[in-house]
Amino acid sequence: MKNKLLIIGGHGAVGRIILKNLLDKGISENQLVIAGRSLDKMTNFIEKEKLRIDYRQIDIHEPIKKAMFEDIQLVVMCIDQKETTFVEELMALKIDYVDITANSEFIKKINQLPQNKTVSVVTSVGLAPGLTNLATADYIKRYQPKTVAIDILLGTGESHGEAAVHWMFDNINQPYHIKQASQPIKNFTLKRVVDFTPKLKQRETYNFNFSDQHILNEQYPKIPITTYFGFDMNIMTKSLHWLNRMNGLSFLEKKQVIHILKKVMKKEMIGTDAFAIRVSNGKEDDKNGFSLYGSNEKEITGKIASLVVYRVYKQQEKVGIASIDGILTLDDVVNETHLHKFIN
Ligand SMILES: NC(=O)c1ccc[n+]([C@@H]2O[C@H](COP(=O)([O-])OP(=O)(O)OC[C@H]3O[C@@H](n4cnc5c(N)ncnc54)[C@H](OP(=O)(O)O)[C@@H]3O)[C@@H](O)[C@H]2O)c1
C-alpha cells in the first residue's frame, strides 16, 4: 500500500524537527521513513531518539531504485539539489513532494516543469523561503503596495545544519539581479536600518540573495520585491558589509574558512537564537508593515514544513506544482505555530 511518508535527510538538522512534529501531529511511526547516504548516521539517530521507524539508504544523485518507493505516498526533501531529475522521477511515480530548499535556481526549474495536477509538488517551504512568501502575499493582497521590502533577522546564537551553512556561504559572493537595478548587484551592498520589534530595534540589514524575492517577483511582476538580511548583532552584519566593500567576501568561500565557519555556526557561540521577519513598503513610517518573530529559526522552519507536509499528506485534492501559498495561508501558520506578530 502506498501510504508512507519518506523524509530524505530526516536525521539532519531541520529534517529531524519535521519528523518530530509529524509524530506530534499523530502520524504513526510505521508510516514514517527516513533516508540518506549514511546508514551509520541514520541508525545512530534512530537509536538515540528511541524511534521505531524504518530507514533507507538513498543517494539522491543516483538514479531512483523504484522498489524503494513502492510504498511511498509523499517525499519530503531536506537537502539541496541542482537538477530536477529526481523530482521528475517521483512525479512519474505519482508520489507527492515537498521541498524545503532555499535554492531559487532549483525552485525556478521545478516551476518550469509541465504542470501536472495528478500530484502535489510544493516548494518555498520553511521560514525564508516560506513564511516570508506568505507574509508578502498577505501584505500585497491587503495594501497593494508599489514596492515591498522583506527584512530577515537571524540570531548569531543559533546552531545551523551543515547544508544550511553551505548554502549561505556558497552563494555569498554571487552577484544577482533585482528589479530596481539594471546590473547584477552583490550581497551586502544596500543598507537598511529596521525596527523589527520593540526589543529588536535599529537592526542593520543588507540586500541578500534569498530565494523568496525571486519567486515572488515572478508571482507579482509589477511590484519590485527585495529581501534584506541581518543578524541580531549589528557587528556581525557590519563585518560582512565591510568584507564585501574590501572585496573580501570571496574569502568566505574558501574551503578552510567554510570549515571554520561551519564549526562556529553549528555551535551556539554568541548572540541569541531570536529571529524575525518584517514585510513593509520599505519606508520607516509604513503603518501597515508588520513583523513576525520568535526564537529558533530551525525549529520554526521544521514546524512550518511539517504543517505543509501534513496537509499534503492528508488532503485528497492534488495541487500540482505550487508554492507554499497553494497549501497554507499566513493565518494558518500564525495560528498553528504561535508566532508573535508586531504591527507599527
Ligand atoms: N526554507 C527555509 O527556511 C530553510 C531554512 C533552513 C534550511 N533550509 C534548507 O534545509 C535543508 C537542510 O538543511 P539542514 O541544515 O537540515 O542540513 P543538514 O543538517 O546538513 O542535513 C542534510 C541531510 O540530508 C542528507 N543528505 C545529504 N546529502 C544527501 C544525498 N546526496 N542523498 C540523500 N541524502 C542526503 C544528510 O544525511 P546523510 O549524510 O546520511 O546523507 C542529512 O541528513 C537545506 O536544503 C537548506 O537549504 C531551508
Side-chain angles (χ1 to χ4, degrees), residues 8-16 35-39 41-42 58-61 77-81 99-103 124-131 160-165 167 210 266 297-298 301:
I8 300 186
H11 50 303
V14 180
R16 65 182 62 200
R37 298 158 304 175
S38 162
L39 286 176
K41 279 195 209 167
M42 288 187 279
I58 294 174
D59 184 337
I60 56 161
H61 297 123
M77 184 62 77
C78 303
I79 184 74
D80 292 340
Q81 299 162 88
D99 197 322
I100 66 167
T101 187
N103 179 331
S124 293
V125 172
L127 179 82
L131 183 65
H160 293 271
E162 175 128 5
V165 177
W167 173 82
F210 271 99
K266 281 170 82 177
E297 170 264 326
K298 265 195 333 263
T301 299

Tab-separated table of all heavy atoms in Angstrom, residues 8-16 35-39 41-42 58-61 77-81 99-103 124-131 160-165 167 210 266 297-298 301, ligand 1:
chain	number	residue	atom	x	y	z
A	8	ILE	N	13.748	12.568	3.245
A	8	ILE	CA	15.160	12.457	2.838
A	8	ILE	C	15.945	13.511	3.624
A	8	ILE	O	15.668	14.696	3.518
A	8	ILE	CB	15.319	12.619	1.315
A	8	ILE	CG1	14.509	11.510	0.627
A	8	ILE	CG2	16.800	12.583	0.929
A	8	ILE	CD1	14.650	11.432	-0.872
A	9	GLY	N	16.879	13.028	4.458
A	9	GLY	CA	17.571	13.918	5.392
A	9	GLY	C	16.775	14.081	6.683
A	9	GLY	O	16.937	15.072	7.395
A	10	GLY	N	15.933	13.088	6.994
A	10	GLY	CA	15.102	13.135	8.210
A	10	GLY	C	15.920	13.049	9.494
A	10	GLY	O	15.387	13.260	10.587
A	11	HIS	N	17.231	12.772	9.349
A	11	HIS	CA	18.120	12.745	10.515
A	11	HIS	C	19.011	13.986	10.533
A	11	HIS	O	19.909	14.103	11.359
A	11	HIS	CB	18.959	11.465	10.528
A	11	HIS	CG	19.654	11.195	9.219
A	11	HIS	ND1	18.969	11.084	8.024
A	11	HIS	CD2	20.969	11.057	8.901
A	11	HIS	CE1	19.834	10.868	7.041
A	11	HIS	NE2	21.049	10.855	7.550
A	12	GLY	N	18.789	14.927	9.601
A	12	GLY	CA	19.565	16.182	9.560
A	12	GLY	C	18.964	17.209	10.515
A	12	GLY	O	17.987	16.932	11.226
A	13	ALA	N	19.543	18.431	10.500
A	13	ALA	CA	19.147	19.448	11.486
A	13	ALA	C	17.668	19.826	11.371
A	13	ALA	O	16.943	19.856	12.370
A	13	ALA	CB	20.038	20.692	11.315
A	14	VAL	N	17.187	20.136	10.167
A	14	VAL	CA	15.775	20.529	10.012
A	14	VAL	C	14.895	19.288	9.873
A	14	VAL	O	13.789	19.231	10.416
A	14	VAL	CB	15.586	21.476	8.794
A	14	VAL	CG1	14.133	21.874	8.661
A	14	VAL	CG2	16.452	22.728	8.937
A	15	GLY	N	15.403	18.273	9.155
A	15	GLY	CA	14.615	17.049	8.916
A	15	GLY	C	14.111	16.419	10.201
A	15	GLY	O	12.963	15.974	10.296
A	16	ARG	N	14.956	16.395	11.232
A	16	ARG	CA	14.546	15.747	12.486
A	16	ARG	C	13.433	16.544	13.181
A	16	ARG	O	12.612	15.981	13.892
A	16	ARG	CB	15.747	15.519	13.415
A	16	ARG	CG	16.417	16.750	13.928
A	16	ARG	CD	17.623	16.422	14.787
A	16	ARG	NE	18.660	15.708	14.035
A	16	ARG	CZ	19.619	14.989	14.584
A	16	ARG	NH1	19.684	14.868	15.896
A	16	ARG	NH2	20.542	14.392	13.850
A	35	ALA	N	15.591	8.750	5.085
A	35	ALA	CA	16.574	8.275	4.100
A	35	ALA	C	17.757	9.220	4.044
A	35	ALA	O	17.643	10.403	4.353
A	35	ALA	CB	15.924	8.176	2.727
A	36	GLY	N	18.899	8.668	3.654
A	36	GLY	CA	20.129	9.448	3.493
A	36	GLY	C	21.200	8.510	2.983
A	36	GLY	O	20.934	7.333	2.721
A	37	ARG	N	22.433	9.046	2.877
A	37	ARG	CA	23.506	8.203	2.341
A	37	ARG	C	24.122	7.321	3.412
A	37	ARG	O	24.563	6.219	3.157
A	37	ARG	CB	24.614	9.091	1.750
A	37	ARG	CG	24.160	9.947	0.600
A	37	ARG	CD	25.055	11.133	0.421
A	37	ARG	NE	25.143	11.916	1.648
A	37	ARG	CZ	25.923	12.955	1.845
A	37	ARG	NH1	26.711	13.356	0.886
A	37	ARG	NH2	25.930	13.616	2.982
A	38	SER	N	24.135	7.828	4.661
A	38	SER	CA	24.901	7.126	5.697
A	38	SER	C	24.011	6.266	6.609
A	38	SER	O	23.204	6.790	7.381
A	38	SER	CB	25.651	8.175	6.535
A	38	SER	OG	26.049	7.614	7.753
A	39	LEU	N	24.224	4.930	6.505
A	39	LEU	CA	23.451	4.024	7.369
A	39	LEU	C	23.801	4.281	8.835
A	39	LEU	O	22.937	4.252	9.708
A	39	LEU	CB	23.764	2.564	7.021
A	39	LEU	CG	23.146	2.044	5.721
A	39	LEU	CD1	23.604	0.628	5.439
A	39	LEU	CD2	21.624	2.114	5.756
A	41	LYS	N	24.777	7.064	10.350
A	41	LYS	CA	24.130	8.284	10.886
A	41	LYS	C	22.663	8.007	11.191
A	41	LYS	O	22.136	8.436	12.210
A	41	LYS	CB	24.216	9.418	9.858
A	41	LYS	CG	25.526	10.148	9.821
A	41	LYS	CD	25.301	11.463	9.041
A	41	LYS	CE	26.537	11.934	8.351
A	41	LYS	NZ	26.287	12.979	7.372
A	42	MET	N	21.997	7.253	10.277
A	42	MET	CA	20.557	7.011	10.469
A	42	MET	C	20.310	6.087	11.661
A	42	MET	O	19.434	6.358	12.487
A	42	MET	CB	19.941	6.425	9.183
A	42	MET	CG	19.834	7.454	8.087
A	42	MET	SD	18.935	6.865	6.648
A	42	MET	CE	20.173	5.924	5.803
A	58	ILE	N	19.562	5.979	0.556
A	58	ILE	CA	19.273	6.571	-0.760
A	58	ILE	C	20.217	7.742	-0.975
A	58	ILE	O	20.385	8.571	-0.087
A	58	ILE	CB	17.804	7.079	-0.818
A	58	ILE	CG1	16.822	5.899	-0.725
A	58	ILE	CG2	17.554	7.904	-2.087
A	58	ILE	CD1	15.357	6.310	-0.629
A	59	ASP	N	20.853	7.782	-2.156
A	59	ASP	CA	21.629	8.964	-2.537
A	59	ASP	C	20.870	9.626	-3.679
A	59	ASP	O	20.688	9.013	-4.744
A	59	ASP	CB	23.042	8.552	-2.989
A	59	ASP	CG	23.906	9.769	-3.289
A	59	ASP	OD1	23.348	10.857	-3.581
A	59	ASP	OD2	25.140	9.643	-3.238
A	60	ILE	N	20.435	10.843	-3.471
A	60	ILE	CA	19.577	11.491	-4.471
A	60	ILE	C	20.314	11.773	-5.788
A	60	ILE	O	19.690	12.137	-6.770
A	60	ILE	CB	18.952	12.806	-3.940
A	60	ILE	CG1	20.041	13.771	-3.454
A	60	ILE	CG2	17.933	12.536	-2.852
A	60	ILE	CD1	19.556	15.195	-3.363
A	61	HIS	N	21.631	11.639	-5.764
A	61	HIS	CA	22.368	11.863	-7.013
A	61	HIS	C	22.467	10.605	-7.856
A	61	HIS	O	23.058	10.606	-8.934
A	61	HIS	CB	23.762	12.424	-6.711
A	61	HIS	CG	23.663	13.754	-6.041
A	61	HIS	ND1	24.232	14.015	-4.824
A	61	HIS	CD2	23.003	14.878	-6.402
A	61	HIS	CE1	23.934	15.254	-4.474
A	61	HIS	NE2	23.191	15.790	-5.412
A	77	MET	N	11.921	16.578	0.976
A	77	MET	CA	13.333	16.700	0.631
A	77	MET	C	14.019	17.735	1.513
A	77	MET	O	13.637	18.898	1.531
A	77	MET	CB	13.445	17.112	-0.847
A	77	MET	CG	14.858	17.177	-1.359
A	77	MET	SD	15.704	15.584	-1.300
A	77	MET	CE	14.983	14.779	-2.717
A	78	CYS	N	15.028	17.289	2.274
A	78	CYS	CA	15.738	18.203	3.188
A	78	CYS	C	17.196	18.363	2.778
A	78	CYS	O	18.088	18.480	3.629
A	78	CYS	CB	15.663	17.698	4.620
A	78	CYS	SG	14.001	17.480	5.212
A	79	ILE	N	17.466	18.354	1.493
A	79	ILE	CA	18.832	18.622	1.024
A	79	ILE	C	18.727	19.294	-0.348
A	79	ILE	O	17.820	18.987	-1.113
A	79	ILE	CB	19.685	17.313	0.968
A	79	ILE	CG1	21.138	17.585	0.588
A	79	ILE	CG2	19.068	16.264	0.036
A	79	ILE	CD1	21.956	18.211	1.680
A	80	ASP	N	19.653	20.225	-0.635
A	80	ASP	CA	19.581	20.978	-1.899
A	80	ASP	C	19.940	20.108	-3.098
A	80	ASP	O	20.790	19.227	-3.008
A	80	ASP	CB	20.558	22.166	-1.852
A	80	ASP	CG	20.114	23.214	-0.855
A	80	ASP	OD1	18.929	23.225	-0.502
A	80	ASP	OD2	20.966	24.020	-0.431
A	81	GLN	N	19.292	20.396	-4.225
A	81	GLN	CA	19.621	19.722	-5.492
A	81	GLN	C	19.860	20.774	-6.559
A	81	GLN	O	19.399	21.910	-6.437
A	81	GLN	CB	18.440	18.873	-5.974
A	81	GLN	CG	18.035	17.777	-5.041
A	81	GLN	CD	16.630	17.290	-5.377
A	81	GLN	OE1	16.446	16.409	-6.192
A	81	GLN	NE2	15.637	17.885	-4.740
A	99	ASP	N	9.527	20.232	-0.755
A	99	ASP	CA	10.962	20.527	-0.730
A	99	ASP	C	11.219	21.784	0.108
A	99	ASP	O	10.612	22.823	-0.136
A	99	ASP	CB	11.447	20.751	-2.173
A	99	ASP	CG	12.959	20.659	-2.282
A	99	ASP	OD1	13.656	21.121	-1.363
A	99	ASP	OD2	13.437	20.107	-3.291
A	100	ILE	N	12.155	21.688	1.084
A	100	ILE	CA	12.423	22.851	1.943
A	100	ILE	C	13.624	23.666	1.446
A	100	ILE	O	14.095	24.560	2.147
A	100	ILE	CB	12.634	22.455	3.425
A	100	ILE	CG1	13.917	21.621	3.609
A	100	ILE	CG2	11.427	21.718	3.967
A	100	ILE	CD1	14.335	21.492	5.076
A	101	THR	N	14.098	23.352	0.254
A	101	THR	CA	15.303	24.037	-0.223
A	101	THR	C	15.159	25.565	-0.248
A	101	THR	O	14.063	26.090	-0.456
A	101	THR	CB	15.717	23.566	-1.638
A	101	THR	OG1	16.984	24.160	-1.960
A	101	THR	CG2	14.706	23.970	-2.697
A	102	ALA	N	16.297	26.236	-0.075
A	102	ALA	CA	16.322	27.690	-0.148
A	102	ALA	C	16.999	28.126	-1.456
A	102	ALA	O	17.380	29.284	-1.595
A	102	ALA	CB	17.071	28.244	1.053
A	103	ASN	N	17.149	27.209	-2.406
A	103	ASN	CA	17.873	27.485	-3.639
A	103	ASN	C	16.911	27.933	-4.754
A	103	ASN	O	16.138	27.137	-5.283
A	103	ASN	CB	18.614	26.192	-4.027
A	103	ASN	CG	19.391	26.326	-5.306
A	103	ASN	OD1	19.041	27.102	-6.199
A	103	ASN	ND2	20.453	25.564	-5.410
A	124	SER	N	9.243	26.358	-1.725
A	124	SER	CA	9.223	27.572	-0.890
A	124	SER	C	8.554	27.249	0.447
A	124	SER	O	7.562	27.865	0.840
A	124	SER	CB	8.513	28.746	-1.582
A	124	SER	OG	9.255	29.166	-2.704
A	125	VAL	N	9.129	26.290	1.131
A	125	VAL	CA	8.555	25.789	2.378
A	125	VAL	C	9.561	25.999	3.507
A	125	VAL	O	10.700	25.534	3.407
A	125	VAL	CB	8.223	24.274	2.230
A	125	VAL	CG1	7.817	23.669	3.559
A	125	VAL	CG2	7.132	24.062	1.184
A	126	GLY	N	9.171	26.724	4.549
A	126	GLY	CA	10.074	26.971	5.676
A	126	GLY	C	9.904	28.403	6.151
A	126	GLY	O	8.792	28.946	6.104
A	127	LEU	N	11.015	29.011	6.579
A	127	LEU	CA	10.951	30.402	7.054
A	127	LEU	C	11.203	31.375	5.892
A	127	LEU	O	10.388	32.247	5.619
A	127	LEU	CB	11.995	30.612	8.162
A	127	LEU	CG	12.049	32.026	8.712
A	127	LEU	CD1	10.979	32.258	9.759
A	127	LEU	CD2	13.408	32.335	9.314
A	128	ALA	N	12.358	31.199	5.247
A	128	ALA	CA	12.704	32.067	4.113
A	128	ALA	C	13.494	31.239	3.105
A	128	ALA	O	14.686	31.051	3.316
A	128	ALA	CB	13.558	33.245	4.594
A	129	PRO	N	12.864	30.667	2.116
A	129	PRO	CA	11.505	30.949	1.679
A	129	PRO	C	10.469	30.206	2.532
A	129	PRO	O	10.802	29.243	3.199
A	129	PRO	CB	11.475	30.398	0.246
A	129	PRO	CG	12.409	29.231	0.291
A	129	PRO	CD	13.504	29.653	1.240
A	130	GLY	N	9.262	30.676	2.459
A	130	GLY	CA	8.147	30.022	3.155
A	130	GLY	C	7.296	31.069	3.824
A	130	GLY	O	6.446	31.705	3.194
A	131	LEU	N	7.615	31.312	5.115
A	131	LEU	CA	6.859	32.326	5.859
A	131	LEU	C	6.946	33.694	5.176
A	131	LEU	O	5.963	34.431	5.106
A	131	LEU	CB	7.415	32.405	7.290
A	131	LEU	CG	6.698	33.361	8.218
A	131	LEU	CD1	5.269	32.915	8.487
A	131	LEU	CD2	7.466	33.507	9.539
A	160	HIS	N	23.341	25.949	13.253
A	160	HIS	CA	22.782	25.653	11.933
A	160	HIS	C	23.307	24.326	11.412
A	160	HIS	O	24.415	23.921	11.732
A	160	HIS	CB	23.152	26.758	10.939
A	160	HIS	CG	22.493	28.062	11.269
A	160	HIS	ND1	21.264	28.407	10.790
A	160	HIS	CD2	22.880	29.072	12.082
A	160	HIS	CE1	20.927	29.594	11.269
A	160	HIS	NE2	21.894	30.015	12.062
A	161	GLY	N	22.494	23.669	10.580
A	161	GLY	CA	22.917	22.404	9.973
A	161	GLY	C	23.960	22.657	8.900
A	161	GLY	O	24.116	23.771	8.401
A	162	GLU	N	24.676	21.591	8.541
A	162	GLU	CA	25.754	21.665	7.549
A	162	GLU	C	25.250	22.221	6.204
A	162	GLU	O	25.857	23.112	5.621
A	162	GLU	CB	26.290	20.242	7.370
A	162	GLU	CG	27.313	20.094	6.317
A	162	GLU	CD	28.556	19.408	6.839
A	162	GLU	OE1	28.566	18.974	8.004
A	162	GLU	OE2	29.501	19.345	6.060
A	163	ALA	N	24.095	21.698	5.730
A	163	ALA	CA	23.587	22.105	4.413
A	163	ALA	C	23.226	23.591	4.419
A	163	ALA	O	23.477	24.303	3.445
A	163	ALA	CB	22.378	21.268	4.020
A	164	ALA	N	22.635	24.066	5.541
A	164	ALA	CA	22.224	25.464	5.623
A	164	ALA	C	23.453	26.382	5.604
A	164	ALA	O	23.462	27.420	4.927
A	164	ALA	CB	21.396	25.694	6.876
A	165	VAL	N	24.504	26.006	6.330
A	165	VAL	CA	25.728	26.825	6.374
A	165	VAL	C	26.353	26.881	4.974
A	165	VAL	O	26.757	27.943	4.488
A	165	VAL	CB	26.741	26.240	7.394
A	165	VAL	CG1	28.032	27.047	7.392
A	165	VAL	CG2	26.140	26.207	8.793
A	167	TRP	N	24.858	26.487	2.103
A	167	TRP	CA	24.034	27.280	1.204
A	167	TRP	C	24.399	28.753	1.335
A	167	TRP	O	24.623	29.444	0.354
A	167	TRP	CB	22.537	27.068	1.515
A	167	TRP	CG	21.732	28.017	0.698
A	167	TRP	CD1	21.365	27.855	-0.604
A	167	TRP	CD2	21.278	29.307	1.093
A	167	TRP	NE1	20.705	28.971	-1.050
A	167	TRP	CE2	20.639	29.877	-0.029
A	167	TRP	CE3	21.341	30.042	2.270
A	167	TRP	CZ2	20.063	31.140	0.006
A	167	TRP	CZ3	20.780	31.298	2.298
A	167	TRP	CH2	20.148	31.831	1.171
A	210	PHE	N	18.327	35.845	-1.069
A	210	PHE	CA	17.385	34.798	-0.634
A	210	PHE	C	16.445	34.484	-1.791
A	210	PHE	O	16.120	35.364	-2.598
A	210	PHE	CB	16.552	35.295	0.556
A	210	PHE	CG	17.188	35.015	1.885
A	210	PHE	CD1	17.897	35.999	2.560
A	210	PHE	CD2	17.060	33.767	2.488
A	210	PHE	CE1	18.479	35.743	3.784
A	210	PHE	CE2	17.632	33.505	3.719
A	210	PHE	CZ	18.351	34.492	4.370
A	266	LYS	N	27.586	25.899	13.695
A	266	LYS	CA	26.860	24.718	14.166
A	266	LYS	C	26.774	24.717	15.686
A	266	LYS	O	26.027	23.980	16.279
A	266	LYS	CB	27.526	23.439	13.652
A	266	LYS	CG	27.152	23.170	12.187
A	266	LYS	CD	27.964	22.087	11.581
A	266	LYS	CE	27.423	20.728	11.937
A	266	LYS	NZ	28.180	19.669	11.273
A	297	GLU	N	15.213	29.551	14.607
A	297	GLU	CA	14.824	29.551	13.175
A	297	GLU	C	14.669	28.136	12.619
A	297	GLU	O	13.765	27.867	11.831
A	297	GLU	CB	15.886	30.354	12.406
A	297	GLU	CG	15.819	30.290	10.901
A	297	GLU	CD	16.753	29.244	10.311
A	297	GLU	OE1	17.839	29.033	10.870
A	297	GLU	OE2	16.385	28.636	9.304
A	298	LYS	N	15.564	27.238	13.069
A	298	LYS	CA	15.477	25.837	12.569
A	298	LYS	C	14.155	25.222	12.989
A	298	LYS	O	13.494	24.539	12.230
A	298	LYS	CB	16.584	24.998	13.224
A	298	LYS	CG	17.810	24.870	12.423
A	298	LYS	CD	18.730	23.775	12.901
A	298	LYS	CE	18.714	23.375	14.325
A	298	LYS	NZ	19.683	23.930	15.214
A	301	THR	N	11.304	26.642	10.956
A	301	THR	CA	11.368	26.101	9.585
A	301	THR	C	10.766	24.692	9.570
A	301	THR	O	9.928	24.361	8.727
A	301	THR	CB	12.843	26.046	9.097
A	301	THR	OG1	13.349	27.374	9.088
A	301	THR	CG2	12.962	25.450	7.718
B	1	LIG	N1	13.188	27.155	3.780
B	1	LIG	C1	13.897	27.537	4.820
B	1	LIG	O1	13.552	28.488	5.542
B	1	LIG	C2	15.148	26.815	5.201
B	1	LIG	C3	15.817	27.157	6.399
B	1	LIG	C4	16.961	26.414	6.734
B	1	LIG	C5	17.406	25.390	5.906
B	1	LIG	N2	16.726	25.137	4.727
B	1	LIG	C6	17.139	24.047	3.835
B	1	LIG	O2	17.033	22.869	4.580
B	1	LIG	C7	17.883	21.894	4.018
B	1	LIG	C8	18.536	21.083	5.122
B	1	LIG	O3	19.349	21.894	5.922
B	1	LIG	P1	19.949	21.280	7.277
B	1	LIG	O4	20.633	22.402	7.938
B	1	LIG	O5	18.909	20.496	7.997
B	1	LIG	O6	21.025	20.254	6.656
B	1	LIG	P2	21.813	19.050	7.327
B	1	LIG	O7	21.732	19.072	8.803
B	1	LIG	O8	23.168	19.064	6.679
B	1	LIG	O9	21.006	17.768	6.797
B	1	LIG	C9	21.035	17.319	5.464
B	1	LIG	C10	20.530	15.866	5.434
B	1	LIG	O10	20.483	15.416	4.083
B	1	LIG	C11	21.125	14.143	3.947
B	1	LIG	N3	21.807	14.134	2.650
B	1	LIG	C12	22.870	14.898	2.281
B	1	LIG	N4	23.237	14.595	1.001
B	1	LIG	C13	22.383	13.626	0.578
B	1	LIG	C14	22.262	12.892	-0.639
B	1	LIG	N5	23.083	13.101	-1.680
B	1	LIG	N6	21.290	11.955	-0.742
B	1	LIG	C15	20.438	11.733	0.301
B	1	LIG	N7	20.515	12.397	1.487
B	1	LIG	C16	21.475	13.328	1.620
B	1	LIG	C17	22.094	14.067	5.117
B	1	LIG	O11	22.240	12.707	5.546
B	1	LIG	P3	23.463	11.755	5.041
B	1	LIG	O12	24.711	12.466	5.433
B	1	LIG	O13	23.205	10.457	5.753
B	1	LIG	O14	23.306	11.616	3.545
B	1	LIG	C18	21.389	14.885	6.197
B	1	LIG	O15	20.565	14.067	6.968
B	1	LIG	C19	18.805	22.628	3.087
B	1	LIG	O16	18.345	22.331	1.776
B	1	LIG	C20	18.571	24.097	3.407
B	1	LIG	O17	18.715	24.925	2.263
B	1	LIG	C21	15.609	25.811	4.388
